[in-house]
Each structure stands twice: as structure tokens, then as C-alpha cells.
Amino acid sequence: MVNSTIGDSQLLNGSNWVAAGQPPWPTKTRPLSDIRELTEPSLVEIVPRKPLPENITRKPSISRTRSVASNRRPSLDSHLAENRGPDKKESANRVSDSRGRGSSTPSPTSPADNTYSSIYSIPRSSVPPRSSSQAGVRSTSRPRAPLPVPPPPPLPLPLATIRAPTIPPPPPRGSGNTVPHRGQSLSPLRQVAARLDPVSSDRSRRIPSRTFIREPLTGDILEFPTHRHPRVDLELELAAGLFVGGGSIEGTVQISIDDAERIRHKRTLDIARISVDLIGLEEITGSKRSVFLNLATELIDSENPPPYNMIESQDHISPDDPFWHLTPSVTNFPFVLSLPLDVGPPPFQSKHARIRYVLCITLLIRDQGKQYLVRTSEDVSVLSVYDPEKALMSLPSPLTASDEYMRTRDAGIEVVKVTAGLHRQVWVSGTSIYVDVHIVNNSRKTIKKIELLLERDILCYKHAAASTMEKSASQARIFDSNERSILSKTTVKQGTAGWNGVAAHTTHLRTCDLELPRGHATVKCGKYFEVRYFLNVIVGGSRS
């Protein structure tokens, strides 16, 4: 509780509130006394006492018995007057005064006792009225300021509200891992179009060609591939449907700034960054994901500000505020993202695993002092480039595999042996694979069919490969599951395609071909899965 001296200092301007006609505590909320009795020792009700005889004169005493609630532990706020420890002598006087209620000669209360207060002795003028007081009994108590109620502990804020969304800055020029720019794709039609229809709009703007490897990866791109804003619209247009390593990804991003909400609310919109990211990742079921490529380029910076029709001024708002004020406009931004020769495995899609490349355009804008990201993403097809003279050249020695079948007869042992050979190991999807089949038939039956099967095995791993400081031990991994399927099949039967089979006790050599389906490629062992292809050669009789 607060004594009269402290209570007066907490009143409005230190003056009497009666003249204003309104007490300083809230009148519609819960009374202070009811709040106090939950946390502190409460005061007993002021009960009318019997009048004393006229021959006895005594000073009015406010001493009373201790309530049940006073047995609770008092508040620990040492700056309040009720928690200030008085002198031992004065405390003994108050205790004896409160316990001597039945005595006819109580100890007189000195004016000095009102300089502090306790739960046993307190001036009547410092007690606010309680809602539980008896009707008809009005208290002439003096007002006191409400006790400070500690605010509830703040809830943990989400990360998005603690940190403003932003884009990792690019490495300084001359540092970091950059991809060399080998120029844009040259097309005769593009040269004719540029000569007949010269560009005079923002398409003639110089395209920043610096492509760098972003480290570390911006993980929110994969978690949130799309961000929208009511006043900003993004559209991505690519120059082709397939891109090859060693070249570049070219396209245009159209940025539309709407002015309807700006006119209505007079709100300003600023922009600081336009970033283009290419992310290559492998995924398997179970939310396992691994990123093996992350290229990026910046479309605007201090040397390449946005076009004139997009912003109010070519200069930043201030040196410490690298933003530009946007104006209502529709702007086309051409971009070029250079690719290394080996971008990684080709795009792949199956039931449990896939490899994909995501092209993402991200804008960093500011609306009413808050930063936002505006983003759009699209999957693209990217292939590594191979030197045909190296990848498709013949092997020094043919790649061969053989198997044999043995059967015991009365006349002896019959053996059928098959040897298959490939003159190279790399074959292009969508073409045909050629295999030499050599059959040695030392049985009494005729070989009547040759069957070729293209088998695909998807090997999945639950954990990443173990590694040492020198190299990874991926070649010693044991797969957890194998998804096996037959993609293509062809059969050469006796009497077709100029083949009459292999007679008993004869030898035959034939070159067979198998058409390879489009859209398939080998995926080298990554972090969680790999894709292998096998050519199976089967020979036999009509029923065996």
C-alpha cells in the first residue's frame, strides 16, 4: 500500500481531484481493493462500532484484526510503502495496538505513525472504498493511484516479424565464385528483327551479365517460391524451353506497378533489389532435399539503376537508404544468367525422387516503412554440355558381358552361351542403341528369339554418403530401396528381319538395335538417390 505522502505525489498535478469531479482511478474497471486482495493482504471491512461512553475520550483508531488473506506472502515490490520495514519499536507498537482491540485503554496513535503504513495500521483517509462495503456506509477515503499491475510476459514473435525480409547481397566485384559470360545466343532471326525493328524502350538497356554462385543459399526460395503484393505484378517470359550448360538462360521479367491504391491512400512504394536465381536440387519423398547448384545475378544496383519510366529519380533516396521511389509503370527487364559447362544432372521425375531446376525472380520493395518480397518462380530444363568427340567416341576395347546356360542330358552337358558387346557406353536419349550379340548354341534345340530390354533402376538412400578429408565413400554405399522398371523392349523372332534363328550346335553373331525413349538420362549418385540404366539381352527358344 501507499501512504498519504506517496499517494499525493501520484495524483494528477499533485492537486485535489474533487474539483475535477472525477477520481484518478478507472471507475468502470474492477475496484482496486478487489485486485489487491488477490495479490496482497486485504483490509477488513470498516464495521460501525458501538459509541463509547461520554466520560471516556479517546482518539479514533483504525487498528483492526488481521484478515485470513493477510497470511499470504506480501508483495516483493520494495519501492511500495507497505513493504518498507519500520523500526522494531514502531512495529511492536503497531502489533500491540492491533491485538489490543478489546482493551479499553489502547495506546495513543501519534501523528508520526501516519508517515508509513502497514497492513495493521493505516489512516482511514488512505483506504479507497471497497465494492463489498455495506450499503449506506460511505467512506471519506482519500484517492490513491492504482497499484502497478505487471504486464504479461511477451509472447515469442515469429521470425518474419523480428527480421525484415531481405535478399543476401552479392559478393563484391573481384571476389566470390563467378561464372564466365560467353555471350548471348546468336540467331539470324534475332539479328534481322533488331535491324528492321530497332528497340527504343527499356529493352535497349544494358543487361548486367555478372553471374555469381550465391553462398549461402537463400532457403526461403524453396519454402516460399511465390510472394505477392497487391500493387506489384510479376510475369516471367523465357526465350527458350531448353537451356544447355556453357550457354545462358535468357528471358524477360515484366514488372507492373499499380497506382490505384497509391492514389487512394497516398502511399509511396520503393524498390531496392531485383534478383534472378537459378536453383538445382534433388528431392525424395520424406521431405529430404539437397541443393547442388545456386546461381544468381542482380538486375539493378548503384551502377545499373531502374529505368527512368519506373522510378522518380535515378539517385537513391539517401546514401544510407539504397531505395528508389517507384512510379506507376509497366517495365520489361531483360536478363541473362550465364551457365557453367557442368550444371549437374538433368531434370528427372519419378514416383519417389526428382531433380528440378527452379528459376526465381525476387523483388525487394518497401511499403509504408515495411520491407516485402515479391517473387515468382518457374521450373526450367537445363542440361549439361558434353563434348561429342569425347562422350560419344568408341571405347578402346568393347564393353562386353556374357552368361551361359548348362543342362545335363544323357548324351552329355548342353551349353548355350551369350556374349553382348557395346562399342561405347554413352547413348543419347531418343536415338537407338546398338548391341552386338554373339550366340554359341551347343544344344540340340534351336534359338528362336533375341529379346532386348532397357531397365531403369532408381536407388534411394536414407542418409548421405560418408566421407573423409580426401574423398567421399559414395561407391561403398548400400541403397535402401530400388525402384526397377522396364522402359523399352524389343524382340527379334525367327523368320523376321532376315533372321532365321540359331540352329543346334552352331554359332551366330548379330547386331540388334533398341529405340531409347526421350526424356531419360543417367543421374549420378548425389546425396539421396541415383538413376542407372541397364541393357538386358535374353535369348531362348520359343517357350524357354
Side-chain angles (χ1 to χ4, degrees):
M1 296 183 184
V2 185
N3 59 17
S4 59
T5 305
I6 299 179
D8 292 340
S9 63
Q10 294 183 356
L11 294 180
L12 182 62
N13 296 330
S15 61
N16 192 1
W17 59 269
V18 178
Q22 183 179 0
W25 60 79
T27 57
K28 295 184 180 180
T29 59
R30 188 174 181 183
L32 177 63
S33 58
D34 294 345
I35 298 177
R36 183 178 62 248
E37 68 183 358
L38 297 178
T39 57
E40 301 179 3
S42 63
L43 298 175
V44 299
E45 300 293 337
I46 303 176
V47 182
R49 301 180 183 179
K50 295 182 180 180
L52 296 176
E54 297 179 357
N55 56 354
I56 298 177
T57 60
R58 56 175 294 184
K59 293 184 179 181
S61 177
I62 314 298
S63 61
R64 63 205 67 179
T65 60
R66 184 177 182 181
S67 64
V68 179
S70 64
N71 292 329
R72 303 174 185 173
R73 187 177 180 179
S75 175
L76 299 180
D77 294 337
S78 59
H79 65 280
L80 297 180
E82 67 264 18
N83 294 329
R84 296 180 182 177
D87 297 338
K88 294 183 179 180
K89 180 178 180 180
E90 295 172 343
S91 176
N93 293 337
R94 288 197 309 275
V95 174
S96 62
D97 189 18
S98 61
R99 294 181 178 178
R101 184 172 182 176
S103 176
S104 58
T105 59
S107 59
T109 304
S110 62
D113 292 339
N114 290 333
T115 58
Y116 59 85
S117 59
S118 69
I119 59 177
Y120 304 115
S121 178
I122 187 172
R124 189 174 197 174
S125 59
S126 298
V127 181
R130 291 172 57 101
S131 60
S132 57
S133 300
Q134 295 182 3
V137 179
R138 294 190 176 182
S139 174
T140 58
S141 61
R142 299 180 62 184
R144 56 169 290 176
L147 292 175
V149 180
L155 297 176
L157 297 176
L159 185 61
T161 60
I162 298 177
R163 297 180 180 178
T166 183
I167 305 175
R173 292 189 176 273
S175 63
N177 298 323
T178 59
V179 180
H181 179 62
R182 298 177 176 88
Q184 296 180 249
S185 60
L186 299 178
S187 171
L189 182 59
R190 178 177 299 181
Q191 296 176 1
V192 173
R195 184 173 66 254
L196 298 180
D197 186 16
V199 178
S200 59
S201 62
D202 49 13
R203 291 181 182 270
S204 61
R205 178 177 176 268
R206 190 181 75 84
I207 303 174
S209 58
R210 180 177 179 241
T211 301
F212 58 90
I213 299 177
R214 191 184 293 280
E215 294 176 347
L217 168 70
T218 54
D220 62 327
I221 293 181
L222 303 178
E223 299 295 336
F224 306 98
T226 303
H227 280 291
R228 302 186 184 277
H229 191 273
R231 293 182 54 194
V232 182
D233 185 27
L234 292 180
E235 291 186 6
L236 178 61
E237 181 181 354
L238 299 177
L242 177 65
F243 303 96
V244 182
S248 59
I249 297 180
E250 302 175 25
T252 304
V253 53
Q254 185 178 12
I255 304 176
S256 302
I257 309 298
D258 187 15
D259 61 338
E261 200 165 335
R262 178 174 179 266
I263 296 176
R264 188 181 306 115
H265 301 285
K266 296 182 180 180
R267 292 161 51 182
T268 59
L269 196 64
D270 306 327
I271 189 170
R273 306 275 296 279
I274 302 179
S275 178
V276 181
D277 289 80
L278 177 66
I279 300 177
L281 66 153
E282 62 171 285
E283 298 174 322
I284 64 173
T285 54
S287 301
K288 291 185 177 180
R289 177 185 297 164
S290 176
V291 176
F292 56 85
L293 180 68
N294 185 16
L295 304 178
T297 183
E298 298 286 337
L299 297 187
I300 61 175
D301 51 25
S302 58
E303 299 180 1
N304 298 278
Y308 290 95
N309 64 325
M310 187 178 180
I311 56 178
E312 296 180 356
S313 174
Q314 291 281 312
D315 298 330
H316 286 142
I317 297 178
S318 66
D320 298 333
D321 193 8
F323 280 81
W324 291 275
H325 287 307
L326 288 173
T327 59
S329 60
V330 177
T331 309
N332 292 311
F333 270 93
F335 65 88
V336 174
L337 190 68
S338 302
L339 298 176
L341 293 176
D342 185 11
V343 296
F348 178 79
Q349 178 73 36
S350 70
K351 183 178 180 180
H352 300 289
R354 67 173 177 173
I355 289 178
R356 63 192 184 107
Y357 291 85
V358 182
L359 184 65
C360 177
I361 311 294
T362 306
L363 274 64
L364 177 61
I365 64 173
R366 184 173 62 188
D367 189 1
Q368 288 187 332
K370 295 183 179 180
Q371 295 185 9
Y372 298 92
L373 296 180
V374 183
R375 177 178 296 151
T376 182
S377 303
E378 185 175 338
D379 288 6
V380 296
S381 298
V382 182
L383 300 177
S384 294
V385 64
Y386 295 97
D387 187 357
E389 295 183 357
K390 296 180 180 180
L392 301 180
M393 68 182 301
S394 299
L395 297 172
S397 60
L399 183 66
T400 61
S402 62
D403 194 10
E404 62 181 14
Y405 171 76
M406 302 177 61
R407 184 173 182 180
T408 304
R409 295 286 186 177
D410 296 337
I413 299 176
E414 296 181 354
V415 179
V416 178
K417 185 176 181 179
V418 178
T419 302
L422 296 173
H423 66 279
R424 56 188 173 92
Q425 192 175 8
V426 179
W427 301 87
V428 180
S429 177
T431 61
S432 296
I433 183 173
Y434 298 94
V435 55
D436 296 330
V437 181
H438 183 259
I439 303 173
V440 178
N441 186 11
N442 285 327
S443 67
R444 61 181 181 178
K445 290 187 177 182
T446 303
I447 302 298
K448 298 182 179 180
K449 68 177 181 180
I450 302 176
E451 194 173 62
L452 303 181
L453 303 176
L454 179 64
E455 176 186 327
R456 183 185 70 180
D457 289 4
I458 304 176
L459 308 179
C460 296
Y461 306 91
K462 291 183 179 179
H463 307 284
S467 61
T468 62
M469 296 182 63
E470 290 78 15
K471 63 179 181 178
S472 173
S474 59
Q475 70 279 359
R477 302 176 71 184
I478 300 177
F479 57 87
D480 298 287
S481 63
N482 185 6
E483 181 183 344
R484 182 174 299 173
S485 59
I486 302 299
L487 301 180
S488 180
K489 177 181 178 180
T490 184
T491 303
V492 181
K493 295 183 179 181
Q494 183 182 16
T496 61
W499 185 61
N500 297 322
V502 183
H505 304 285
T506 60
T507 302
H508 181 76
L509 177 63
R510 179 180 177 84
T511 301
C512 304
D513 64 286
L514 174 66
E515 292 185 0
L516 302 180
R518 293 178 57 87
H520 293 273
T522 299
V523 177
K524 296 181 180 180
C525 184
K527 189 174 183 179
Y528 294 114
F529 78 97
E530 62 178 322
V531 181
R532 299 178 180 178
Y533 292 86
F534 297 91
L535 177 64
N536 299 330
V537 181
I538 303 174
V539 301
S542 58
R543 298 182 180 178
S544 60

